[in-house]
Amino acid sequence: MKQKKLLASMLLAFSATAAMADITVGVTVSATGPAASLGIPEKNTIALVPTTIAGQKVNIIVLDDASDTTTAVKNAKKFVTENKVDVIVGSTITPASLAMIDVAAESETPMISMAASRAIVDPVDAKRRWVYKTPQNDAQMSTAISEHMTNSGVKTVAYIGFSDAYGEGWSNEFAGVAKARKLDIVANERFNRADTSVTGQVLKIIAAKPDAVLIGGAGTPAALPQKTLKEKGYKGIIYQTHGVANADFLRVCGKDCEGTFLPAGPVLVADQLPNDNPVKKTAQEYVAKYEAAHGKGSVSTFGAHAWDAFKLLEAAVPVALKKGQPGTKEFRTALRDALEGVKNLPVAHGVFNMSATDHLGFDQRARVMVKVEGGSWKLVK
Amino acid sequence: MDFQIALLLGQDGLTNGAIYALLALALVLVFAVTRVIFIPQGEFVAYGALTLAALQAGKVPATLWLVLALGAAVTAIDSAQALRHGATRRLPRIIAVNLVAPLLLWLLLTSVDLVGLPLIGQIALALAIVVPLGPMLYRLAYQPIAEASVLMLLIVSVAVHVVLIGLGLLFFGAEGTRTPAFTEGTLDLGATTLQYQTLWILASSAVLIVALYAFFGRTIYGKALRATALNRTGARLMGISTTMAGKLSFTLAALIGAFSGILISPVTTLYYDSGFLIGLKGFVGAIIGGLVSYPVAAAGALLVGFLESYSSFYASAYKEVIVFTLIIPVLLWRSLTSHHSEEEE
C-alpha cells in the first residue's frame, strides 16, 4: 500500500513536471572547420542569451557541426528525435542550413538559420514554411555596394572572390545589380581561402584597369587580394563584403585596408548610429554584453546573428505559449505561426517584419556602408 | 600577357616553388628513412608561423603546452622501458631531454620580454618550441610501429594530421596571422620590383638545400640516415640505430617545416589549417621525384610553383584542379618507366 502511494505520488510529480515543461532549443553551429571564425562568436553568443523566456526555463543544447553538411543534418535529426526540441537554431553556413530544411519540415519543427543565402527562406513553400533566418540577404548587401559605386563615379569594376559558394553567390548577385546600374565588370577572378598567393589574379585585374575592385571573401583570407593589390600599386577604390566585418580582418590587413568600403549590419558601428535609429539600442545592448564577457573589441557581426535568432524567440514564445505547452506539436506549430507574425522587432542587425512570404523580414535599415579609417570601422553617412 | 607580367608571375612561382621544394625534401627524407608518408608536414609550417606570431604578440604560445605534455609522455614511456631493462644509467638523459629542457624553455619564455626581443631571437624561440614536436611525435606515434606496413604508417599519419589540425584550432583560433618581414621594403629592378622578403625566402631555401646536401654527404649522422634509407636491416647490422635515424629525420622535417612557415608568414596570411595544402603541394613535388630522388623532388616542387602561378593568371577558378591533375600523368609516366620489384611488406 505504501509502495503504491509512493508510486502514485511519483507519477503525479512526473506528470506535473511534464505539464510545466521547459522550452528546449537545439543549436548547431560550425565552431570548427572552415567556418569556425563565424561559428565561434555565435557559440559564444549563445552563452549570453537569457535562460528564461516568459517565465519558462529555456534548455539550450549546443552541438558543433564542424562546417560539415552531413554532421549538421545528423545534429538536427538528433534534436528532433532524441531531445524533442521545440525549435532548431542553425546552422552557420548555407549548405548545412539548406540540408537541414528537410529535417525541420518533416518533424514540423521551426528552424532559424544563421546563414546568409536567400535560398534558405525563399520561396516560402511547404517546406520553407518552417524555416526562418537572421542574416541579411546577399542581394541587400550588393545593392548597397553598387549604389555606393555609382555615387562615387565608378564605371568599371573587377571582381575577385572565393572559389566556393560564397564567392560564386556574390559573383552572381553582383553581376545582376551591376547590369541594372550599368557598371561594367571587366575581370572576374577566383581564389582559395587557403591560397598563399594571388599575384596572378591581381595582375590580371590591374591589367584590366578597373575603377574599383570588389573582393568577395569572408574573414581574414579576404585580406590577401587587398594586400597584393596595394603591393602591386593599384590606386582605385576597393570594396569588401560584410563577410570581413571582424577585428581580426583589420589586424591582418593593417594599413593596406585604409579607405576600404563595405556594407555591413548596423551592429558593427552601433555607437556611431544616429540616436533616432531603432537598431541602436538593441545593437549596443548586444555589443556591451559580448564585450563584457570576451573583452573590448572582441565583438563581430556574426555572433549578432545568433543573438537576433534568440530575440526572435523572445518575441514569439510568449505568443505561442498561449496555444500549447512546450514539447508538444501544438506548441511548435504555434511557435512557427508566432514567428511569422513578428512585426517591428528591432534587433542588433535591423528591424524584423516577418510575413507569410518573407521569412527574413529585414529592410534597408539592416545594412549600412562602412569605411575603414584609422584601423577601425567608420559609418559612411 | 606582356613581359612584365610574365616576369612577376615567374617570380611568384619561384618563391612558392622554393617553399614547396623545402617541404618536398623533408617528405622525401622522412619517407626514405622511416617509410612514413608524413602528412602532418604541413602542420609544422602553420605551427612555426603561428607560434612566432604568438611570441610577437607577447603571449606564451600554446604549442609550448603540447611540447610539455608530449615530453612528459615520452619521459614516462622511456623511463618505464629503461627501468624494466634495468638501464637506469639512461634515465638522467631521458629526463633532461624530454622534461627538463621544455621546462627550462617555459622558464625562459616567462622571464624575457618577448615583444622587445630582436626578430632573430623570436625566431630561435619559435623553432625551439616547435622543432622538438618532431622527434616526440615520432617516439609516440611511429616508433612503436616502425616495422609496420607503409599503409599502416600512412593511416597513423592521417590520424596525427587530424589531431594536430584540431589542436591548432584550439591553440591559435580560427583567424590567421601575419608576421613582419625580416627586412621591410622592396628592391627596384627597373622592369619589376622585388620584396626583400622574397629574397630572404629564396636565399634561405638555397642555403638550407646546400646545408642538407653537405649534411648527407659529409657528416656521420647524414651518412647514417642515408644508410638507413638504403637498407634498414643492413644499417642495423652496421650498428646504426634505426630509432635514432627516425628521430633525426623527424627533427629535420620539423625544422624545415617550421622554418618554411616562418619564412612565408610575412608574405601571406597563415591559418591553423593552411599548412595542409602547402604540404600537399610539396607532396606533389615529392611524388614527381618518386619519393626517393631529392633533386627531382625539388625540381618537381618548383614546377608546381610555376604551374600554380601561371594558372592563377589564366584560369584562377581551376588553379587547384590544374596543379593536382599534374599528379596523374606523372604517376602514369612513373609506373610505365620504373620497373617494379615486388618487395615483401
Side-chain angles (χ1 to χ4, degrees):
Chain A
M1 190 61 199
K2 228 180 187 175
Q3 263 182 348
K4 251 188 194 162
K5 236 183 190 169
L6 188 70
L7 200 69
S9 60
M10 269 173 71
L11 268 176
L12 199 70
F14 192 71
S15 60
T17 50
M20 296 276 294
D22 302 338
I23 300 163
T24 317
V25 184
V27 183
T28 171
V29 289
S30 310
T32 56
S37 67
L38 317 183
I40 290 170
E42 287 172 0
K43 193 175 161 201
N44 291 341
T45 302
I46 304 289
L48 304 171
V49 299
T51 49
T52 54
I53 299 177
Q56 297 277 30
K57 192 170 175 296
V58 183
N59 284 328
I60 303 176
I61 306 156
V62 183
L63 293 180
D64 172 26
D65 59 39
S67 316
D68 177 57
T69 306
T70 319
T71 318
V73 171
K74 218 161 70 190
N75 288 350
K77 284 195 173 138
K78 187 170 177 294
F79 286 148
V80 296
T81 53
E82 281 180 38
N83 308 114
K84 307 262 185 268
V85 298
D86 299 299
V87 55
I88 301 170
V89 175
S91 171
T92 306
I93 48 171
T94 300
S97 301
L98 285 174
M100 284 161 58
I101 292 176
D102 284 333
V103 183
E106 210 169 283
S107 61
E108 307 192 313
T109 313
M111 165 181 148
I112 306 175
S113 168
M114 298 177 286
S117 171
R118 186 175 58 190
I120 299 168
V121 293
D122 189 77
V124 182
D125 52 19
K127 280 181 181 168
R128 290 183 175 82
R129 278 185 76 222
W130 294 93
V131 184
Y132 296 82
K133 78 177 181 96
T134 54
Q136 300 85 342
N137 286 331
D138 288 345
Q140 283 172 318
M141 295 302 195
S142 55
T143 42
I145 292 183
S146 60
E147 200 182 296
H148 191 271
M149 282 178 177
T150 333
N151 293 344
S152 317
V154 171
K155 297 267 186 312
T156 51
V157 187
Y159 175 80
I160 175 167
F162 279 177
S163 54
D164 65 6
Y166 189 86
E168 224 32 70
W170 262 94
S171 171
N172 294 337
E173 285 293 348
F174 187 71
V177 292
K179 211 169 158 192
R181 287 195 170 262
K182 300 205 168 36
L183 291 166
D184 200 7
I185 299 178
V186 291
N188 194 345
E189 299 294 316
R190 293 287 178 280
F191 72 108
N192 290 305
R193 204 184 80 89
D195 273 355
T196 51
S197 162
V198 289
T199 308
Q201 294 94 319
V202 162
L203 289 175
K204 201 167 175 184
I205 286 176
I206 292 180
K209 298 195 174 56
D211 295 336
V213 178
L214 170 62
I215 301 170
T220 36
L224 182 63
Q226 178 137 13
K227 285 188 101 77
T228 314
L229 276 166
K230 292 274 166 158
E231 183 197 313
K232 300 289 177 223
Y234 181 69
K235 295 280 188 288
I237 311 174
I238 298 176
Y239 290 88
Q240 292 273 1
T241 66
H242 59 297
V244 301
N246 65 9
D248 289 299
F249 174 75
L250 289 179
R251 169 177 59 80
V252 168
C253 201
K255 63 180 190 310
D256 287 333
C257 275
E258 284 298 303
T260 303
F261 290 98
L262 64 142
V267 65
L268 185 65
V269 285
D271 288 336
Q272 300 167 38
L273 294 172
N275 283 328
D276 57 347
N277 191 323
V279 179
K280 181 166 186 169
K281 209 171 127 251
T282 45
Q284 278 182 324
E285 183 198 347
Y286 170 68
V287 173
K289 272 227 165 103
Y290 195 95
E291 293 196 338
H294 297 281
K296 189 130 185 66
S298 60
V299 75
S300 79
T301 60
F302 312 117
H305 294 313
W307 178 257
D308 290 354
F310 277 83
K311 280 278 169 201
L312 270 179
L313 288 178
E314 279 174 56
V317 163
V319 182
L321 276 173
K322 289 180 193 141
K323 299 208 179 127
Q325 282 299 325
T328 63
K329 189 176 163 231
E330 290 72 41
F331 179 74
R332 295 201 302 270
T333 314
L335 186 59
R336 191 215 78 84
D337 296 343
L339 283 168
E340 205 163 73
V342 169
K343 291 272 183 273
N344 281 322
L345 175 70
V347 292
H349 267 289
V351 182
F352 281 123
N353 270 304
M354 297 288 183
S355 74
T357 52
D358 185 2
H359 277 194
L360 165 64
F362 272 155
D363 53 21
Q364 304 304 340
R365 286 174 289 184
R367 55 154 174 78
V368 292
M369 278 306 279
V370 174
K371 187 182 184 187
V372 180
E373 244 179 65
S376 65
W377 315 104
K378 285 280 173 310
L379 179 67
V380 177
K381 297 273 167 28
Chain B
M1 177 160 73
D2 58 24
F3 175 70
Q4 192 185 0
I5 290 180
L7 205 65
L8 283 169
L9 288 174
Q11 175 199 326
D12 192 51
L14 188 65
T15 319
N16 284 334
I19 295 296
Y20 299 153
L22 282 180
L23 296 179
L25 293 183
L27 284 164
V28 172
L29 166 68
V30 168
F31 182 77
V33 176
T34 64
R35 297 173 308 130
V36 172
I37 294 174
F38 197 41
I39 297 175
Q41 179 66 52
E43 266 64 75
F44 284 100
V45 177
Y47 275 35
L50 293 170
T51 302
L52 178 64
L55 286 174
Q56 287 176 342
K59 284 182 280 192
V60 174
T63 20
L64 183 70
W65 313 133
L66 184 62
V67 175
L68 286 171
L70 290 184
V74 172
T75 311
I77 294 174
D78 275 352
S79 308
Q81 217 166 34
L83 285 177
R84 219 176 19 246
H85 294 141
T88 40
R89 273 184 309 124
R90 298 218 312 262
L91 277 178
R93 195 182 132 79
I94 293 170
I95 295 172
V97 170
N98 294 305
L99 208 59
V100 179
L103 282 172
L104 283 177
L105 194 62
W106 184 15
L107 213 66
L108 183 68
L109 282 175
T110 44
S111 58
V112 297
D113 169 32
L114 293 172
V115 185
L117 221 57
L119 187 63
I120 187 149
Q122 292 170 335
I123 291 174
L125 276 178
L127 289 176
I129 297 169
V130 177
V131 174
L133 290 175
M136 286 173 181
L137 279 178
Y138 177 76
R139 174 66 193 87
L140 293 171
Y142 297 102
Q143 193 181 316
I145 52 160
E147 303 302 320
S149 67
V150 172
L151 180 63
M152 185 161 161
L153 291 169
L154 173 65
I155 294 170
V156 171
S157 275
V158 173
V160 172
H161 159 68
V162 173
V163 168
L164 286 182
I165 284 248
L167 287 174
L169 177 60
L170 186 70
F171 291 164
F172 308 112
E175 292 295 357
T177 44
R178 267 176 191 243
T179 54
F182 295 3
T183 316
E184 292 285 353
T186 52
L187 189 64
D188 205 343
L189 294 180
T192 173
T193 56
L194 207 58
Q195 277 182 294
Y196 283 119
Q197 186 65 27
T198 312
L199 292 178
W200 272 107
I201 294 176
L202 294 175
S204 311
S205 305
V207 167
L208 260 179
I209 289 171
V210 171
L212 279 177
Y213 185 77
F215 174 75
F216 285 122
R218 306 201 176 261
T219 65
I220 190 81
Y221 280 106
K223 285 176 182 163
L225 282 187
R226 269 168 63 207
T228 321
L230 281 174
N231 188 332
R232 285 174 73 81
T233 323
R236 283 180 86 162
L237 288 174
M238 292 299 116
I240 296 169
S241 157
T242 47
T243 305
M244 183 280 296
K247 275 189 183 157
L248 188 58
S249 65
F250 269 69
T251 311
L252 282 172
L255 176 70
I256 293 173
F259 192 65
S260 307
I262 288 169
L263 276 177
I264 56 168
S265 70
V267 293
T268 186
T269 318
L270 284 175
Y271 303 83
Y272 73 97
D273 61 349
S274 349
F276 180 60
L277 210 58
I278 302 174
L280 213 55
K281 284 174 186 152
F283 184 69
V284 173
I287 287 288
I288 294 175
L291 280 174
V292 283
S293 163
Y294 291 98
V296 182
L302 281 177
L303 175 69
V304 170
F306 283 121
L307 194 65
E308 191 183 38
S309 171
Y310 285 98
S311 61
S312 74
F313 183 83
Y314 283 112
S316 58
Y318 300 104
K319 191 190 76 179
E320 306 293 22
V321 178
I322 293 169
V323 169
F324 288 111
T325 310
L326 177 68
I327 216 167
I328 297 174
V330 167
L331 286 178
L332 205 64
W333 166 69
R334 288 210 71 90
S335 70
L336 289 177
T337 52
S338 67
H339 57 96
H340 278 279
S341 54
E342 291 295 327
E343 282 177 65
E344 86 296 354
E345 282 288 19

